[in-house]
Amino acid sequence: MLELAHERALADREMGIQNGRLSAALGNMSQALCMFDHAGRLIVANNRLSEMLALDHGDVAAGSTIEEILAHAALPQNDVESLSLGLRELVAVGQPGGCSVHLRDDRTLAVSYVPIKGDGWLLTLEDISERRLAEAKISHMAHHDALTGLPNRLLFHERLREAVARSLRGETSALLCLDLDGFKAVNDTHGHPVGDALLQEVSHRLKQQVRAIDTVARLGGDEFAIVQSGLDQPQDATVLANRLIEVLSEPYELEGQQVVVGTSVGIALVPRDGRDPDQLLKNADTALYAVKAAGRGSYRFFEQGMDATMQARRTLEIDLRKAIIEKQFEVYYQPLMNIKAGIVIGFEALLRWNHPQRGLVPPGDFIPLAEETGLIIPIGRWVLNQACKDASTWPGRIGVAVNVSPIQLGSPTLVEDVSAALQSSGLASDRLEIEITETVMLDDTEGTLIILHKLRDLGLSISMDDFGTGYSSLNSLRRFPFSKVKIDRSFIEGLGTGQECNAIVTAVTDLCETLGMITLAEGVETEEQLRQLQIGVCVEAQGYLFSKARPAADIAALCLLLSQPSGTVAAH
């Protein structure tokens, strides 16, 4: 008897230990758990069930049905009905399964049902609200731009595919691709925080201009796109494009600074211009390129002929990149003459591209593309180095003038590039002249002035090229003290043929003399033009009358020819 009592005591103790462990396990579960017998009566439940359904402790009693338990839940009636319906459907199936129920307090419960063979069933409820929120956040991040909150390229592609699907049912949509004109200058001048603020404000303005059924996306950088759905006619896209150009061109107040940019828009129609999202994006981008090539600040619809132009552009860009690697460029030099003394005072460096198949490619055919793609930066750096190297071998104090494009002037390395070219070549800084067009002064006056002053501090001179072709010539002369002003050839070619050009050239040269600036006449081709210039106070000139641009190997002989009494080598 004592042994039996001892065994029972051990058994009771072991059962107590097991029950304690089970109770601890149930009490520390993150899920609510309850077990029901074959008649649907509660056998056991943990405290998490009461917490999850807002039940009093006495509401979860052994022998209760799930309906009776839910009836006591402090939940809205709709939530109780949703839970009851979900549970009834799971029990009716009789197989392991689950469902999720979204409650009115924004919680989401995952319900899991597991039948126990011949002995009832087990039910667990888990609050997966935070998990769902995290999943939703991850999904949103995967489909939206982090800076602007707009749909990204991935989601936009899906929306465009949906527009294509609707086009099969007769609906017309428009795809508008746009980017900002002048955005890089904002970033370079004001910094990336202002650039980011600009992109956010642009996004806000774009969203205000479209309907709820349309989609606005940021594809990357300053590139945006819109799917305009349900068009009655193509002119609807025209109206939107004009509105976008107007709205985005209005000034922005960002971090205490006023910023102005423009936009260009390329348009492809769905399904007229394609039924493949990638092809539509390509066509709209081709139309956008056509706008930018024509001067920006406008819109164009895609046309079939544009594709051939775009292909030619892509081929030229590939060749241009190859030319940089294979050193296919050469610098030619055109003399700059002092027409009072009749001597050569310098040469302007002019870039030539020796294409292996096309031969010499005119600068007008590739310089705009180089500027657009940013390739002008490495090309311009090479020209600077080569021109300074060549000039260092020229006799006396003959100088060299190098053109710098607006893109180069916006480069943060320009001053260092110029300094490095001078140092590596050993050329005295006062023998180098940097030429800029006056359009540079229009793009970003303050930033431009800072760079120009830094360049002049190196000891070189700065001249304004093509004077008179811009919109603020006199203001540019006031803002920055140029060493030299080059009068555009369009005024020089009319000298001696009428009073208008004579009067303009005289006025410019007199003004520059008063301001202490040298004037140089571009495009001098006749003796009469030269005679008219020599009458006035113009000091320098260049043009075919003296010589065309020649390769570096010809410079020594050219200097000898130009020292002849005629002062020209046009016949050679």
Side-chain angles (χ1 to χ4, degrees), residues 289 311-330 351-380 382-383:
Y289 170 75
Q311 290 296 337
R313 174 195 177 277
R314 289 194 182 99
T315 300
L316 186 63
E317 181 181 343
I318 292 171
D319 288 351
L320 195 56
R321 294 182 183 278
K322 186 177 180 181
I324 296 173
I325 298 172
E326 297 184 353
K327 305 185 186 308
Q328 296 175 4
F329 296 109
E330 185 176 356
L351 182 64
R352 297 292 185 266
W353 178 10
N354 292 309
H355 193 282
Q357 282 79 43
R358 306 183 191 194
L360 279 178
V361 182
D365 289 355
F366 70 88
I367 292 298
L369 178 60
E371 291 182 329
E372 183 182 332
T373 57
L375 294 175
I376 194 66
I377 301 297
I379 293 174
W382 178 85
V383 172

Side-chain angles (χ1 to χ4, degrees), residues 144-400:
H144 291 79
D145 174 55
L147 178 65
T148 65
L150 293 177
N152 61 12
R153 185 180 290 272
L154 179 63
L155 180 55
F156 186 76
H157 200 278
E158 294 177 9
R159 298 287 172 82
L160 187 54
R161 189 177 296 281
E162 292 168 2
V164 170
R166 293 194 300 271
S167 74
L168 301 178
R169 302 192 293 270
E171 179 182 302
T172 298
S173 300
L175 166 61
L176 293 84
C177 285
L178 55 148
D179 62 18
L180 303 181
D181 302 330
F183 176 71
K184 184 178 184 302
V186 173
N187 257 348
D188 292 343
T189 305
H190 302 291
H192 289 284
V194 173
D196 289 347
L198 173 60
L199 292 174
Q200 291 171 328
E201 181 58 28
V202 166
S203 303
H204 177 67
R205 293 187 187 185
L206 287 175
K207 287 189 289 186
Q208 288 183 321
Q209 299 306 313
V210 300
R211 304 160 298 170
I213 62 173
D214 301 328
T215 299
V216 182
R218 181 187 178 207
L219 302 185
D222 64 334
E223 300 176 55
F224 296 86
I226 297 173
V227 172
Q228 187 184 16
S229 302
L231 300 187
D232 293 328
Q233 52 187 352
Q235 284 74 14
D236 292 345
T238 299
V239 172
L240 177 58
N242 277 322
R243 197 163 66 237
L244 294 175
I245 292 169
E246 179 182 356
V247 169
L248 296 187
S249 299
E250 294 175 358
Y252 300 80
E253 292 293 335
L254 305 170
E255 299 186 10
Q257 302 179 73
Q258 187 176 83
V259 173
V260 179
V261 294
T263 191
S264 303
V265 184
I267 308 171
L269 294 178
V270 186
R272 189 195 74 177
D273 296 326
R275 293 187 173 179
D276 176 75
D278 291 328
Q279 185 64 45
L280 285 164
L281 280 166
K282 176 186 173 185
N283 290 345
D285 191 56
T286 298
L288 174 60
Y289 170 75
V291 177
K292 294 193 288 188
R296 304 174 181 269
S298 186
Y299 70 88
R300 286 192 68 174
F301 284 87
F302 172 75
E303 299 169 8
Q304 289 300 324
M306 290 179 178
D307 193 48
T309 303
M310 193 67 172
Q311 290 296 337
R313 174 195 177 277
R314 289 194 182 99
T315 300
L316 186 63
E317 181 181 343
I318 292 171
D319 288 351
L320 195 56
R321 294 182 183 278
K322 186 177 180 181
I324 296 173
I325 298 172
E326 297 184 353
K327 305 185 186 308
Q328 296 175 4
F329 296 109
E330 185 176 356
V331 181
Y332 275 43
Y333 297 94
Q334 186 176 37
L336 309 177
M337 301 293 296
N338 183 315
I339 59 176
K340 301 298 185 182
I343 60 173
V344 180
I345 49 89
F347 289 86
E348 179 179 358
L350 299 169
L351 182 64
R352 297 292 185 266
W353 178 10
N354 292 309
H355 193 282
Q357 282 79 43
R358 306 183 191 194
L360 279 178
V361 182
D365 289 355
F366 70 88
I367 292 298
L369 178 60
E371 291 182 329
E372 183 182 332
T373 57
L375 294 175
I376 194 66
I377 301 297
I379 293 174
R381 186 181 298 120
W382 178 85
V383 172
L384 268 169
N385 283 304
Q386 189 63 44
C388 289
K389 179 181 177 182
D390 290 341
S392 68
T393 66
W394 296 343
R397 301 293 300 169
I398 292 177
V400 64

Side-chain angles (χ1 to χ4, degrees), residues 107-170:
R107 287 187 298 157
T108 300
L109 303 183
V111 181
S112 177
Y113 168 83
V114 178
I116 301 173
K117 187 175 181 179
D119 196 24
W121 40 278
L122 184 69
L123 191 69
T124 60
L125 290 83
E126 182 179 7
D127 188 339
I128 59 172
S129 306
E130 291 187 7
R131 186 198 308 168
R132 285 291 176 90
L133 286 174
E135 291 172 351
K137 185 176 181 180
I138 292 172
S139 177
H140 185 275
M141 291 171 62
H143 292 87
H144 291 79
D145 174 55
L147 178 65
T148 65
L150 293 177
N152 61 12
R153 185 180 290 272
L154 179 63
L155 180 55
F156 186 76
H157 200 278
E158 294 177 9
R159 298 287 172 82
L160 187 54
R161 189 177 296 281
E162 292 168 2
V164 170
R166 293 194 300 271
S167 74
L168 301 178
R169 302 192 293 270

Side-chain angles (χ1 to χ4, degrees), residues 14 44 74 82 125 214 356 371 395 418-419 485 568:
E14 183 62 28
V44 65
S82 296
L125 290 83
D214 301 328
E371 291 182 329
V418 172
S419 178
V485 172
T568 67

Side-chain angles (χ1 to χ4, degrees), residues 34 42 44-46 49-50 55-62 64 69 72:
C34 45
L42 180 66
V44 65
N46 64 0
L49 181 67
S50 299
L55 295 162
D56 291 335
H57 183 70
D59 295 331
V60 186
S64 303
I69 293 173
H72 294 292

